[in-house]
Amino acid sequence: MATRNFGAHALGVVAAAGLTTGVLLALTAQRRTLESLHARLERLEEQPPTPSHANLARQQHQHWELLSKAIDDPELAEVLDHYDVSLTPKQRRQYLFANALYTNLLFYYRIGNLTKDEFFQHVRGMLQNPVVRAYWNASRHQRASITDTDEAELGRIVDDLLQALEDADDEWWVVGMSPSEED
């Protein structure tokens, strides 16, 4: 009997040690993330606000206000329907919201709150949603007219990532090469 109890106790100790190790690894990863965010915040605080950032912030705010009105009012949303496919009012609102999410990431990148790799990681997560994928495919011709800008470059990164995700057999979080891996 004592041997069986010892064996069960040893198994419990091993399980507890494994759980503790897992918790410590998670806390370490969380700490690194917090340190990275803190360092980025310090860099941003050291930089004086630029007129360019202020203009981007105003434009981002205005963009959100316009999209919000269109999302709330199907008649206004029809004005922004420039997609290659026929959409229901529900799909149109979803596409407008997907546009707002993407534009928000683009803005964060432009003001320095995200690196290109972080932008890539966020987009990879967003593309797990079938509505976002459908929006991206339906708006392809709109992006085609944008050339030689950071927005065009990021759009091509998203296009390549979406193609890699559609072709992949791997888990989504490992698909595609981040911009720093391509350099």
Side-chain angles (χ1 to χ4, degrees), residues 37-161:
L37 289 172
H38 182 70
R40 184 180 316 138
L41 182 59
E42 284 180 349
R43 280 194 318 269
L44 290 172
E45 287 174 346
E46 290 171 3
Q47 298 172 355
T50 65
S52 174
H53 284 177
N55 290 337
L56 277 171
R58 279 192 295 278
Q59 190 277 330
Q60 176 72 8
H61 182 74
Q62 184 178 25
H63 181 259
W64 175 245
E65 282 185 14
L66 291 170
L67 283 179
S68 293
K69 288 179 182 184
I71 289 169
D72 293 339
D73 185 337
E75 291 176 4
L76 294 178
E78 288 179 22
V79 175
L80 296 177
D81 191 342
H82 304 281
Y83 303 105
D84 288 338
V85 295
S86 178
L87 301 174
T88 66
K90 175 184 175 182
Q91 289 171 314
R92 192 175 298 115
R93 283 191 310 277
Q94 290 173 329
Y95 281 24
L96 291 173
F97 190 74
N99 174 268
L101 291 174
Y102 177 75
T103 303
N104 188 55
L105 283 178
L106 180 62
F107 172 73
Y108 265 45
Y109 171 77
R110 284 179 170 164
I111 65 170
N113 277 0
L114 290 177
T115 65
K116 200 176 286 184
D117 284 345
E118 291 167 327
F119 172 88
F120 176 85
Q121 298 301 327
H122 284 282
V123 168
R124 183 165 44 188
M126 283 176 48
L127 289 174
Q128 297 317 297
N129 185 295
V131 173
V132 173
R133 283 183 184 210
Y135 155 75
W136 193 258
N137 286 322
S139 62
R140 185 172 307 275
H141 73 281
Q142 294 173 28
R143 290 187 309 281
S145 65
I146 303 170
T147 58
D148 300 326
T149 65
D150 60 343
E151 184 174 358
E153 178 187 1
L154 294 173
R156 286 188 296 274
I157 288 170
V158 177
D159 287 339
D160 293 346
L161 175 58

